[in-house]
Amino acid sequence: MRRTPVAAVPLAASLLLAGLAAPQAAWSAPQAAWNTPRTAWTSWNAPRASWNAPRAERQEAFRAAAARYGVPEKVLLAVSYLESRWDAHQGLPSVTAGYGPMHLTDPRRALRLTGPHDALHPTGPRRTSHRAGPRRVSHRAGRGTAEEAARLTGISADRLVRDPGANILGGAALLARHQRDLGLPMSPRPADWSGAVARYSGATGAGDARHFAGEVFSLLRTGAGRITDDGRQVWLSPSPEIAPHMEHVDRMGLREGGNRNTDCPANLACEWLPAPYRELPGGGYGNHDLSDRPREHRIEYIVIHDTEETYGKTLRLVDDPTYVSWHYTIRSSDGHIAQHVRTRDIAWHSGNWYVNAKAIGIEHEGFLAKAGAWYTEAMYRSSARLVRYLARRYGIPLDRAHILGHDNVPGTVPGSVAGMHVDPGPYWDWGHYFALMGSPFKATGGAHAGLVTIRTDYARHRPRYTGCEEPGEDCRPHGSASVRLHTAPGHGKPLVRDVGRRSGGRSTYGVHDHGARATTGQQYALAGRKGDWTAIWYLGQRAWFHNPHDAPTAVNAGGLIVTPRPGRASVPVYGRAYPEPEAYPKGVPVQPIVPLQYMIPRGQRYAVGLATHGEYYHSTTYDETAHRLVRGRTLYYQVQLGHRVAFVKADDVDILPSSV
């Protein structure tokens, strides 16, 4: 039986160790998430009244295409949802050169539009990525499915990728061809189309094909419904009685893989592509550290990244012993997962060694500034299943204090704050992601509970961003999980400042600048209300966001907060929770406890996410026997300081119920 170290434990247990009583509302045990009904895994059961009857012609396009080619309408809808969530993506190609609701691929067109070396990367400075080198449009080469769909439908490939209605016809024609090629009848029963669905994924391995088909039929059972990126309402009613015929997938004769050596749930197609652990000339080594987690020390976080690269390039990077590393990469087109570093070992991925030592890093093939276009449903679902499995296995609560974006990881010292990465960015749909994990964000308190949880209506909430294509140029309107923060109520009021991000602290509307943003799932202490505006405490200041009653962007919550102790004008905050100097044994250099450039002034309140005693994993050599884990007595609280989390010392603050 593996022991749990006392240095880093969930919030309630840490508070008990510190001699404090923690209200039940202040924390959540991860097991509670597994009791959530499966209907919570998709957003179809959101109140339809809030949709204000958007245009329905896309629904009609699916119905007409299904009838024309003899494909069950539910199958066509479910396949499209996995490929694109029914979105048109403003005509932009995916990282695999796919277009439209059915993700018809046309590599040659993608190359013509974007050029061969920077096909999918936004112009302007790359503020979000440590990746470097040339890029390619796709790991698929040659002819695409759009050309084959053109032959089957008589519609030009150009129209198939530009016109969503034609694109759906092309997808239906391809599904019908796959059904015939497998020697299966044009049946009205969705289950009879399991093989055609698997073949539509383009998977070359049996595991990936089964996984894609399984996700499509899981969606058929639960149903889905949403407003697309161009304002169309689409609806797939649940059919819990439908089960796939996986024997149809087996007859496709694809190669069998396996989850050997991987830490993955059995129902996911994962492969082991190990990152090298190797000594380098000059005494260095790469590209990760050996450890024995969680026996030695807990895994506390899962960090969500995007790659800013194609899948193929990403795999080449993680195979470089002189580069950094991460635990998993998830492919956009089909949700395929590659594991590179054992979860017991420490990957170099977040830019914060304290977090790295306690985290699992997951990279997702995609580009922050591409308006979420290629954070596909297949990717979301694979990632959600993986994170849910890892959270359960390692006792990680499913909340935004423990499931972090790379953009939520703090800088370690003042000089590192400005250079911290900002992926996966404002277009990652955190609400949908947590719903897929069975842990949707809900109100947990009333108007006087004292906290708010950000929760945007992703499809309808479309704040302004700039710099997706050209610096300073407005991005095309798109759903977002983030709210904009102002110094006073009103859209025309200045944005709040982040003194660590930019010279003078000035925030911008740039898609890479999160200095004045709060994101779905993050919890903040309430600082005021005025009409349709709500204020929170944020980076030492009061920050206002638009939260109208008829279109709320946050829900009320209860929990714990910290505030400076009486007599303290302000208290420092830290980017890592390191032990006190006397905790270090001989031979392990003392790590300085350096405050960041932020402060919490007297009277302000910040939501508590977890409690931990100071900890440092000393690992600077290739020789694993020289590694040392240092645990201290100093108790820290992790707080939601701004867009990123931070730590405060328990001795500097009072911890209180959030109620006001």
Side-chain angles (χ1 to χ4, degrees):
M1 183 173 182
R2 295 190 170 188
R3 61 186 176 89
T4 300
V6 297
V9 294
L11 178 57
S14 285
L15 295 176
L16 291 172
L17 286 171
L20 300 170
Q24 182 68 23
W27 70 288
S28 58
Q31 295 296 329
W34 317 132
N35 300 322
T36 306
R38 282 183 62 91
T39 50
W41 279 43
T42 61
S43 58
W44 75 269
N45 53 342
R48 294 187 71 186
S50 67
W51 293 2
N52 297 326
R55 295 158 64 182
E57 62 262 35
R58 187 148 305 153
Q59 187 88 44
E60 294 302 319
F62 281 108
R63 184 171 294 118
R68 178 170 174 177
Y69 290 101
V71 180
E73 183 181 348
K74 285 179 177 288
V75 169
L76 188 61
L77 282 162
V79 168
S80 177
Y81 192 88
L82 261 292
E83 292 284 6
S84 69
R85 298 181 75 193
W86 303 321
D87 287 339
H89 295 309
Q90 304 166 349
L92 298 174
S94 75
V95 292
T96 51
Y99 291 85
M102 297 302 300
H103 196 253
L104 300 182
T105 57
D106 190 343
R108 295 171 186 172
R109 176 184 176 86
L111 283 168
R112 287 199 310 272
L113 291 176
T114 59
H117 296 302
D118 206 18
L120 298 167
H121 183 265
T123 58
R126 294 191 71 195
R127 303 189 58 85
T128 64
S129 179
H130 49 270
R131 314 292 185 232
R135 294 158 192 81
R136 288 171 175 78
V137 171
S138 175
H139 60 270
R140 297 174 181 175
R143 296 172 55 187
T145 57
E147 187 174 336
E148 177 63 15
R151 187 185 65 79
L152 294 169
T153 62
I155 301 171
S156 70
D158 182 65
R159 185 182 168 198
L160 285 168
V161 299
R162 287 188 298 103
D163 180 347
N167 188 274
I168 293 167
L169 283 169
L174 286 171
L175 275 167
R177 192 205 70 184
H178 296 330
Q179 185 77 350
R180 291 191 297 270
D181 287 350
L182 289 169
L184 296 169
M186 303 297 288
S187 169
R189 294 185 297 273
D192 293 338
W193 289 74
S194 303
V197 166
R199 180 162 286 183
Y200 194 94
S201 71
T204 58
D208 289 327
R210 288 192 198 99
H211 172 66
F212 185 85
E215 290 291 359
V216 167
F217 281 88
S218 174
L219 184 69
L220 284 168
R221 290 190 293 274
T222 61
R226 68 186 296 266
I227 298 169
T228 66
D229 60 352
D230 53 355
R232 273 63 171 177
Q233 177 181 310
V234 187
W235 184 263
L236 172 62
S237 59
S239 300
E241 75 284 358
I242 295 177
H245 293 322
M246 284 302 184
E247 64 273 17
H248 293 175
V249 182
D250 295 338
R251 74 166 62 178
M252 293 167 60
L254 299 177
R255 61 177 175 81
E256 290 288 349
N259 286 11
R260 186 179 179 185
N261 297 322
T262 66
D263 193 359
C264 279
N267 60 353
L268 275 182
C270 300
E271 64 176 326
W272 176 243
L273 297 175
Y277 184 69
R278 190 175 305 160
E279 275 193 288
L280 301 173
Y285 68 100
N287 59 10
H288 58 279
D289 277 285
L290 302 184
S291 184
D292 192 12
R293 306 183 306 176
R295 190 183 68 83
E296 245 183 21
H297 52 128
R298 280 179 58 88
I299 299 173
E300 197 81 49
Y301 305 104
I302 297 173
V303 181
I304 305 302
H305 306 254
D306 78 22
T307 62
E308 297 295 316
E309 288 291 358
T310 62
Y311 183 77
K313 174 74 176 200
T314 301
L315 296 190
R316 291 193 292 275
L317 288 169
V318 80
D319 192 43
D320 181 352
T322 67
Y323 198 58
V324 297
S325 58
W326 47 96
H327 291 89
Y328 300 89
T329 304
I330 304 184
R331 192 162 62 202
S332 173
S333 60
D334 56 5
H336 176 78
I337 298 172
Q339 183 174 356
H340 314 295
V341 177
R342 298 178 303 173
T343 50
R344 64 182 291 176
D345 295 332
I346 299 170
W348 303 346
H349 59 96
S350 79
N352 181 317
W353 176 248
Y354 174 81
V355 173
N356 280 351
K358 302 165 77 65
I360 295 170
I362 305 177
E363 290 276 4
H364 298 77
E365 182 187 24
F367 297 84
L368 179 157
K370 289 300 176 185
W374 306 113
Y375 299 152
T376 65
E377 183 65 11
M379 174 186 284
Y380 275 127
R381 285 180 167 250
S382 287
S383 183
R385 287 187 186 274
L386 176 62
V387 170
R388 196 168 66 121
Y389 162 84
L390 294 170
R392 187 174 188 177
R393 179 170 172 82
Y394 297 110
I396 303 170
L398 285 172
D399 59 38
R400 290 300 316 283
H402 297 81
I403 312 301
L404 304 175
H406 197 175
D407 52 353
N408 307 134
V409 175
T412 55
V413 295
S416 68
V417 171
M420 293 299 289
H421 292 194
V422 296
D423 56 297
Y427 298 125
W428 182 266
D429 191 346
W430 286 104
H432 179 58
Y433 191 49
F434 270 74
L436 287 170
M437 288 189 278
S439 189
F441 301 118
K442 298 179 180 179
T444 58
H448 301 289
L451 300 177
V452 293
T453 302
I454 306 300
R455 190 183 73 179
T456 71
D457 180 343
Y458 184 91
R460 290 191 173 280
H461 181 67
R462 301 186 171 200
R464 177 194 176 202
Y465 297 108
T466 63
C468 289
E469 298 179 16
E470 296 291 340
E473 184 179 283
D474 279 6
C475 302
R476 305 181 195 190
H478 194 278
S480 173
S482 295
V483 296
R484 189 80 61 190
L485 300 172
H486 299 264
T487 57
H491 293 291
K493 301 298 182 181
L495 300 176
V496 298
R497 291 177 175 263
D498 182 345
V499 296
R501 285 284 300 156
R502 288 175 173 271
S503 176
R506 183 181 177 186
S507 298
T508 72
Y509 289 91
V511 70
H512 300 102
D513 183 359
H514 60 55
R517 293 205 301 252
T519 297
T520 290
Q522 293 180 322
Q523 284 193 339
Y524 296 89
L526 184 66
R529 289 192 173 101
K530 186 174 182 179
D532 286 343
W533 291 77
T534 297
I536 55 176
W537 294 115
Y538 185 94
L539 294 177
Q541 61 203 305
R542 186 179 271 109
W544 294 86
F545 66 95
H546 194 225
N547 186 25
H549 178 74
D550 60 346
T553 53
V555 294
N556 296 315
L560 295 179
I561 58 91
V562 296
T563 191
R565 287 193 169 179
R568 302 290 302 269
S570 63
V571 298
V573 299
Y574 305 91
R576 50 195 179 186
Y578 274 171
E580 63 280 1
E582 54 268 29
Y584 290 81
K586 185 178 179 180
V588 177
V590 173
Q591 301 300 302
I593 304 174
V594 181
L596 299 178
Q597 52 268 71
Y598 309 106
M599 303 286 286
I600 296 180
R602 179 173 51 216
Q604 294 191 11
R605 300 151 55 92
Y606 288 82
V608 178
L610 60 86
T612 182
H613 288 91
E615 190 171 292
Y616 168 64
Y617 188 68
H618 178 62
S619 173
T620 59
T621 66
Y622 181 75
D623 180 9
E624 185 185 3
T625 63
H627 298 180
R628 294 288 185 273
L629 179 66
V630 182
R631 296 192 180 104
R633 294 178 175 271
T634 303
L635 180 65
Y636 293 86
Y637 300 126
Q638 179 182 301
V639 298
Q640 190 65 58
L641 183 72
H643 191 80
R644 301 186 189 273
V645 300
F647 300 92
V648 295
K649 292 182 179 180
D651 288 346
D652 290 339
V653 296
D654 284 335
I655 185 165
L656 304 166
S658 62
S659 304
V660 295

